[in-house]
């Protein structure tokens, strides 16, 4: 059991898992922001443009609902809420576009990092010593 817990701790503390957890938390918050943008800003403007009272209320009623009476229980309305579907599509498009833009910016920064020339590696001690010997031999040959 100790080995299992030790392996789990190593797995959980790896950078990728922690990065993923942070991404999920930020993604959830981002999803709320996008939903608010769609629900509170875009869809009201769209409903004004289309002349309706909003996409949330668009639906195709299959069976009308009925209120409860003394002799009969209430019957719920059965409807296809295609307005909510349209709203979710708009949510998805905005989220997908935002992720695309963010990834594009990140890839540009990575590309610039990769294009930057790497500094020349320091010569090893052996190379330095051999260079000094070469220079000394060259100086001695020039004196003769």
């Amino acid at each position: 059991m100790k080995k299992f817990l030790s392996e789990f701790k190593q797995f959980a503390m790896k950078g990728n898992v922690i990065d993923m957890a942070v991404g999920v938390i930020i993604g959830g918050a981002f999803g709320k922001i996008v939903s608010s943008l769609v629900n509170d800003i875009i869809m009201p403007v769209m409903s004004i443009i289309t002349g309706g009272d909003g996409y949330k209320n668009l639906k195709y009623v299959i069976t009308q609902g009925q209120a409860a009476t003394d002799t009969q229980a209430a019957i719920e309305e059965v409807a296809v809420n295609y307005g909510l579907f349209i709203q979710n599509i708009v949510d998805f498009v905005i989220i997908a576009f935002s992720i695309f833009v963010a990834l594009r910016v990140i890839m540009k920064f990575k590309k610039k990092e990769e294009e930057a020339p790497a500094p020349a590696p320091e010569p090893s001690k052996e190379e330095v010593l051999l260079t000094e010997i070469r220079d000394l031999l060259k100086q001695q040959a020039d004196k003769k």
Side-chain angles (χ1 to χ4, degrees):
M1 185 67 169
K2 281 186 177 182
K3 183 178 180 184
F4 177 78
L5 290 175
S6 174
E7 288 177 6
F8 177 73
K9 183 179 175 184
Q10 284 179 336
F11 168 77
M13 293 300 143
K14 283 186 179 176
N16 293 344
V17 175
I18 294 171
D19 291 345
M20 184 179 70
V22 170
V24 167
I25 292 168
I26 290 174
F30 184 70
K32 288 181 181 181
I33 291 170
V34 170
S35 293
S36 176
L37 173 70
V38 171
N39 295 336
D40 303 330
I41 297 173
I42 295 175
M43 286 306 178
V45 172
M46 293 294 288
S47 65
I48 290 171
I49 292 171
T50 59
D53 59 347
Y55 278 92
K56 285 184 180 180
N57 301 325
L58 295 177
K59 60 186 172 184
Y60 175 74
V61 178
I62 298 172
T63 306
Q64 289 288 337
Q66 294 180 351
T69 62
D70 292 336
T71 58
Q72 187 178 8
I75 299 173
E76 287 191 37
E77 177 182 78
V78 177
V80 175
N81 295 316
Y82 64 90
L84 291 174
F85 181 70
I86 292 170
Q87 187 167 343
N88 286 327
I89 289 173
V90 172
D91 277 352
F92 172 77
V93 169
I94 291 172
I95 289 172
F97 181 74
S98 300
I99 291 172
F100 169 75
V101 170
L103 288 175
R104 193 160 182 229
V105 169
I106 290 170
M107 295 308 278
K108 280 188 179 183
F109 282 127
K110 278 189 172 184
K111 192 174 183 181
K112 285 181 183 179
E113 275 182 15
E114 290 173 1
E115 288 177 358
E122 294 281 327
S124 67
K125 291 181 181 179
E126 291 84 10
E127 288 177 309
V128 171
L129 185 59
L130 289 171
T131 304
E132 289 174 6
I133 292 171
R134 180 197 66 201
D135 292 343
L136 287 172
L137 289 172
K138 190 175 184 181
Q139 284 177 357
Q140 287 179 353
D142 288 342
K143 288 182 183 179
K144 290 184 181 181

